[in-house]
Amino acid sequence: MFELSVNLLRILEFFSLVLPEVFVQGPGLNLTRLCELVRFVLVHTAAGPEGRSFEERVSHISNFYSQEKLTRGTVLAPVAGILINLYRAELEAQAEGSDHNSVLVCLSASDPVVESMDVLENMQWSKALSAEPQSLVNIRFLSELARALREQEKDHTGCTTVEGGMDTDEDVCTICYSAMADTAFLPCGHRSCHQCISRHLLNNKRCFFCNMDVESLDMS
């Protein structure tokens, strides 16, 4: 499963490289869902309690994979590639004056995302990547994106950034990690943010935590 997950991320990295316009200049939902996946991987691999205990959590599968493959860099390398490709395409669209979707807005400058970007920016990419020199040159786009997210966090901008902070981990949507868990599935009562739940219900009428049929929503 670990190797499959990494390979799927590499496929998405490839598509973001050869067809970035599908995400940056196509339907906004394409970029939104890709950024949701990126945020999910980042907060479980690079930031927060789960991210900091990554090596410990994957140690139980060390008998099946080489220790050289079971590293944070193995997972984060394609994620970094996706972010670089998307942000570079966004900057090019800006320079051309073309209509485009915003990577910054879709990522949302929440604390976990900014912390994750700090981890990405400080990684030893020359060791983590078996990359061509040009790939390493493109790391500068990662630094620019990290800087822009930090500035966005300070300004409290972005369409899904949580304003005012969150008191406990229970307040955070565990799908996007960037909004308040302000909506509950009924009758099971599991909570997430309204935006994530609304998109989920377009394709699936079951709770994504317990798989119980959803009869209604509680937004109180």
Side-chain angles (χ1 to χ4, degrees):
M1 185 62 70
F2 179 86
E3 189 171 8
L4 176 61
S5 299
V6 172
N7 286 338
L8 289 173
L9 287 171
R10 287 172 177 164
I11 291 172
L12 289 172
E13 180 188 12
F14 174 76
F15 276 113
S16 70
L17 175 64
V18 298
L19 292 170
E21 63 273 12
V22 170
F23 304 101
V24 175
Q25 294 177 283
L29 187 60
N30 293 344
L31 181 61
T32 297
R33 291 196 166 178
L34 181 56
C35 286
E36 286 176 350
L37 173 63
V38 167
R39 281 200 306 268
F40 181 85
V41 174
L42 286 175
V43 299
H44 284 83
T45 309
E50 290 194 25
R52 288 189 286 269
S53 63
F54 173 80
E55 282 81 5
E56 179 182 344
R57 289 186 291 112
V58 299
S59 62
H60 68 283
I61 60 174
S62 58
N63 293 332
F64 303 96
Y65 297 97
S66 166
Q67 286 289 346
E68 294 181 355
K69 293 183 178 181
L70 290 176
T71 65
R72 185 179 279 108
T74 302
V75 180
L76 293 181
V79 171
I82 291 170
L83 291 173
I84 289 169
N85 296 335
L86 293 178
Y87 192 54
R88 182 173 58 183
E90 179 181 345
L91 294 178
E92 291 174 354
Q94 285 180 355
E96 295 170 357
S98 304
D99 292 335
H100 63 279
N101 305 311
S102 173
V103 179
L104 287 174
V105 170
C106 288
L107 277 177
S108 301
S110 61
D111 289 342
V113 172
V114 173
E115 181 185 346
S116 300
M117 292 302 297
D118 290 340
V119 172
L120 284 181
E121 192 177 10
N122 293 321
M123 286 190 68
Q124 299 294 322
W125 288 112
S126 59
K127 296 179 180 179
L129 299 173
S130 56
E132 299 177 0
Q134 184 60 37
S135 299
L136 296 176
V137 169
N138 289 334
I139 293 296
R140 68 181 178 87
F141 289 104
L142 197 63
S143 298
E144 292 178 13
L145 176 58
R147 183 166 56 252
L149 281 168
R150 285 192 289 268
E151 292 175 357
Q152 184 189 74
E153 183 189 33
K154 292 178 182 178
D155 295 337
H156 300 287
T157 59
C159 62
T160 57
T161 302
V162 179
E163 296 184 0
M166 290 167 278
D167 295 332
T168 69
D169 291 341
E170 295 180 357
D171 294 328
V172 186
C173 171
T174 54
I175 302 301
C176 67
Y177 285 89
S178 62
M180 294 285 288
D182 55 4
T183 304
F185 291 116
L186 295 178
C188 67
H190 288 119
R191 303 185 68 83
S192 185
C193 74
H194 183 70
Q195 186 176 21
C196 287
I197 285 179
S198 297
R199 281 196 294 271
H200 172 73
L201 291 178
L202 292 174
N203 303 314
N204 194 314
K205 304 303 181 182
R206 293 174 178 268
C207 171
F208 37 47
F209 297 107
C210 67
N211 209 34
M212 180 178 286
D213 289 333
V214 176
E215 297 178 3
S216 61
L217 299 177
D218 178 11
M219 292 178 283
S220 60

